[in-house]
Amino acid sequence: MISSEARWGGGVTLLLFILIFLPLVAVLANVVIPGLFFGRVEFQGLNLLGDIFVRPLWRQSLWNSVSLAFGVATLGTVLGGVLAMIRAQWDFAVARLLDVTAWALLIVPSFMLAQGWVLFASRDGLMNQWLGWEWLPTAVFQPSGLVVVMALSKFPLAYLAIVAAMEWNVKQFGQAAQLCGAGPFTVWRTVQLPLLAPSFIAGWTLVFMDTVGDFGLPAALSTVYKFPTLTYSIYSAIYQSPVRFDMAGVLAFYLVLILTVAMALLMLAMRRSRFDFLNARAIKTIKRKPRHAWVLNTIVGVFLLICLGIPIGTSTLFSFMRHAGEGLSIGNLTLEHYFSLFGQNGGDHRLLGYKEGLLHSLLIAAIAAVLSMIIGFVVAYVLAFTESRFKSAIQLFSIVSLAVPGVVLGIGYIFIWNQKWLEPIGLHLYGSPSLLVLSAVAGSIPYAVRMQLGAFASVSGSMLKAASIQGAGVFDRMTQIVMPLVRQSLLIATLTAFGTSIFDLALASMLQPPNYVLMPLVIDRAFEFGRYGYATAATVVSGGMVVLLIMVLQAAGNWIFRRMDGDRR
């Protein structure tokens, strides 16, 4: 007889396989047999993989993605590392703003940030209009300029990884080395650097992976600068005529291969991390007041203003301008773009209504957030509190999901859920909003699992064993013991999944049903058609509404939790 824990473990393993691993396998299988999912079986072996080095567009897309990701990861890690060391050692006024900005840059979608930079630095942009900086477009819209722009938005991944590693004071090791005759440089090289190296490597790989899988930047740049990357070329292959599934499959294979190598590097860095210096005498780093605090506040403040103020500030200014080319003057200020958001088609027959797209995106994100929280909770429970034989497979699937970008997941969903034989059983989901929900759930599960695993670490397994001895089943243990103890993490996981799902441009572009409007696509298409005022107004309203909604839901959840605690007393 199969135990209850085995059934739960097998169930979530099958679910993760269908949502995450099967689409990836489908994409990779299409490389070897391009017509496998469309009734045209043409076995070509691995010969097609070599074409990436002889076809100009394929080769250029691969080179652009790798070089851009390498440059952004290196510069972003330097910036994040310097800021992390400043934040860990000094107590200054702008320190809290640094943390807020880092999280804001992680939450704001890359295509919105990229649109702000385009409006700031293009030939018709803000700086050229105000100051006549004709050199700025050439400086920004080239490979090295793109590295700088993307590093300014991706550095928080490295910053958060490194600053977390500097929480504990390790000066005693350096002092011991000095007593043995080591100089300052030797102490830094032999003590401090080895202890921080894993966090720097982890930060570098996180930035690299996020950059190489980014779809938002090339989508925004396509209006002013031709810079094909693997993600955008995959999208173009699906939506050109004729459809090039062979091209999409090959590019997706190399994209996954690059991300897999980066993921392996990340796992190696985590295994090499040393935590044995954390003992009973371990103390946290005490931040000191800098001697010239105003200098530090000014430098960090200006840097944050560039990172977040330029893209968000530029988009906000453009949202109030009647005509983008007439500059910021009293006569050119208007609210008509905000009013047009909720009018019929935004005043343009090429654009579908923003209001309808916003409602659709909110609904899909809300459903996906709840489902991903539930699935993530069960997955975390199986990993933390059971001895299921499926734990290795579950861990593999949840890690693999981190390395699968939205465009690859979207192609896999097209292959799997666009089969004619699924129609009689009602599972032909391609072209329906249900597939958007499933893809959003798949993209949110890894974050939900890791957030809840962290909370589960504080739950004693002895309580669950005692409940099991008393006859409580797995479901009762999850809902009556674990869930009340980790309810705060459940709320945060749900809100995080909601915030990330609603702005996913890649999956929305790949899986949009016919005549079904989605908010990220409305913004992207308005920007593509040159309706900058409309696009930026939609960006400001969408971002502000989502942030406000998350804050309200979090406050409401905390209030409910306090009331529940009061009733128990």
Side-chain angles (χ1 to χ4, degrees):
M1 183 177 179
I2 301 177
S3 67
S4 179
E5 289 188 353
R7 288 196 298 270
W8 282 95
V12 294
T13 302
L14 178 62
L15 191 59
L16 292 179
F17 176 80
I18 294 174
L19 289 177
I20 298 171
F21 203 69
L22 184 60
L24 178 59
V25 172
V27 171
L28 299 180
N30 189 72
V31 176
V32 180
I33 311 175
L36 177 63
F37 297 96
F38 301 96
R40 302 185 304 272
V41 178
E42 301 174 3
F43 181 77
Q44 297 186 9
L46 299 178
N47 296 330
L48 198 60
L49 293 177
D51 287 357
I52 197 169
F53 301 106
V54 296
R55 302 195 185 191
L57 177 60
W58 299 18
R59 184 177 63 248
Q60 190 63 44
S61 299
L62 176 64
W63 169 251
N64 286 347
S65 290
V66 173
S67 59
L68 180 66
F70 189 88
V72 172
T74 303
L75 180 58
T77 303
V78 171
L79 294 175
V82 171
L83 291 172
M85 288 187 283
I86 293 174
R87 181 70 175 93
Q89 297 181 27
W90 303 104
D91 182 15
F92 54 102
V94 186
R96 179 67 63 179
L97 184 60
L98 174 59
D99 294 336
V100 172
T101 302
W103 283 107
L105 288 171
L106 288 180
I107 294 173
V108 177
S110 63
F111 79 93
M112 290 185 176
L113 293 174
Q115 288 176 0
W117 279 103
V118 168
L119 295 175
F120 177 82
S122 65
R123 299 196 181 278
D124 298 326
L126 210 58
M127 285 298 96
N128 203 6
Q129 290 183 29
W130 286 8
L131 303 178
W133 287 3
E134 297 182 357
W135 56 269
L136 189 60
T138 304
V140 172
F141 300 112
Q142 60 163 320
S144 59
L146 298 182
V147 167
V148 175
V149 168
M150 288 202 73
L152 292 176
S153 62
K154 303 292 186 183
F155 81 88
L157 290 165
Y159 167 77
L160 294 173
I162 296 169
V163 78
M166 301 184 70
E167 179 182 7
W168 298 97
N169 191 334
V170 295
K171 288 185 177 180
Q172 66 271 26
F173 299 105
Q175 293 169 353
Q178 288 177 336
L179 291 175
C180 295
F185 178 76
T186 302
V187 172
W188 177 82
R189 179 178 59 84
T190 60
V191 178
Q192 296 177 346
L193 185 60
L195 288 174
L196 289 177
S199 64
F200 272 87
I201 296 174
W204 189 93
T205 53
L206 287 172
V207 177
F208 181 90
M209 291 168 62
D210 194 63
T211 303
V212 80
D214 190 8
F215 175 75
L217 177 82
L221 286 179
S222 62
T223 60
V224 295
Y225 182 62
K226 186 178 180 181
F227 190 78
T229 61
L230 288 174
T231 53
Y232 196 74
S233 295
I234 291 170
Y235 167 77
S236 301
I238 296 296
Y239 286 95
Q240 70 180 8
S241 182
V243 178
R244 294 293 306 276
F245 285 116
D246 56 340
M247 173 181 173
V250 171
L251 298 184
F253 170 82
Y254 280 98
L255 181 58
V256 172
L257 179 63
I258 293 169
L259 290 169
T260 301
V261 173
M263 178 65 75
L265 182 62
L266 176 60
M267 300 303 295
L268 179 62
M270 293 175 63
R271 289 184 179 180
R272 291 176 63 87
S273 298
R274 295 292 303 275
F275 300 103
D276 51 358
F277 64 86
L278 296 179
N279 50 37
R281 293 179 296 174
I283 59 174
K284 290 190 175 182
T285 302
I286 299 177
K287 299 178 178 63
R288 296 170 294 167
K289 291 285 186 181
R291 181 176 299 178
H292 301 290
W294 68 270
V295 176
L296 199 57
N297 286 323
T298 302
I299 294 175
V300 176
V302 170
F303 177 79
L304 299 182
L305 184 63
I306 294 173
C307 294
L308 192 61
I310 286 180
I312 301 300
T314 302
S315 294
T316 304
L317 287 175
F318 266 80
S319 70
F320 292 104
M321 294 166 60
R322 180 176 284 106
H323 300 292
E326 297 181 6
L328 189 64
S329 61
I330 298 297
N332 197 35
L333 295 180
T334 181
L335 293 174
E336 67 180 28
H337 301 306
Y338 288 91
F339 292 131
S340 68
L341 292 178
F342 302 96
Q344 183 64 32
N345 293 340
D348 194 324
H349 70 278
R350 297 172 298 180
L351 299 175
L352 295 172
Y354 167 80
K355 179 173 64 176
E356 184 181 0
L358 179 62
L359 292 176
H360 287 166
S361 296
L362 287 171
L363 179 61
I364 290 172
I367 297 173
V370 174
L371 292 177
S372 63
M373 180 272 292
I374 295 173
I375 297 172
F377 176 80
V378 177
V379 170
Y381 181 91
V382 172
L383 291 176
F385 300 120
T386 72
E387 299 299 328
S388 173
R389 62 178 180 272
F390 297 102
K391 288 177 66 172
S392 298
I394 294 173
Q395 189 70 37
L396 173 64
F397 293 158
S398 60
I399 291 176
V400 166
S401 62
L402 290 174
V404 182
V407 289
V408 175
L409 193 65
I411 294 176
Y413 271 54
I414 293 174
F415 289 162
I416 297 298
W417 301 104
N418 192 26
Q419 302 298 312
K420 293 183 178 180
W421 61 270
L422 293 174
E423 293 182 4
I425 57 177
L427 290 179
H428 188 272
L429 301 182
Y430 181 67
S432 70
S434 302
L435 199 57
L436 288 169
V437 174
L438 290 181
S439 62
V441 170
S444 302
I445 283 176
Y447 304 103
V449 171
R450 273 147 188 80
M451 284 184 178
Q452 296 182 59
L453 276 176
F456 283 16
S458 61
V459 179
S460 173
S462 60
M463 293 188 298
L464 301 178
K465 293 180 180 178
S468 177
I469 293 173
Q470 296 296 322
V474 175
F475 181 77
D476 291 334
R477 279 176 266 163
M478 286 193 295
T479 57
Q480 297 181 23
I481 298 178
V482 179
M483 192 172 290
L485 294 174
V486 299
R487 62 192 183 187
Q488 189 67 36
S489 72
L490 296 180
L491 176 62
I492 294 175
T494 305
L495 296 179
T496 302
F498 175 79
T500 56
S501 300
I502 195 170
F503 292 115
D504 197 324
L505 178 63
L507 289 175
S509 300
M510 301 291 291
L511 302 176
Q512 180 193 20
N515 302 321
Y516 192 82
V517 193
L518 293 167
M519 178 265 293
L521 294 180
V522 172
I523 297 176
D524 186 60
R525 288 171 183 169
F527 193 84
E528 182 182 348
F529 293 149
R531 290 285 306 276
Y532 300 132
Y534 184 88
T536 52
T539 297
V540 172
V541 171
S542 302
M545 184 179 298
V546 171
V547 171
L548 180 61
L549 189 57
I550 289 176
M551 293 174 61
V552 169
L553 290 174
Q554 185 172 11
N558 292 332
W559 179 80
I560 293 173
F561 295 156
R562 288 194 298 268
R563 290 293 300 270
M564 292 171 61
D565 292 338
D567 292 341
R568 290 193 184 96
R569 295 191 185 97

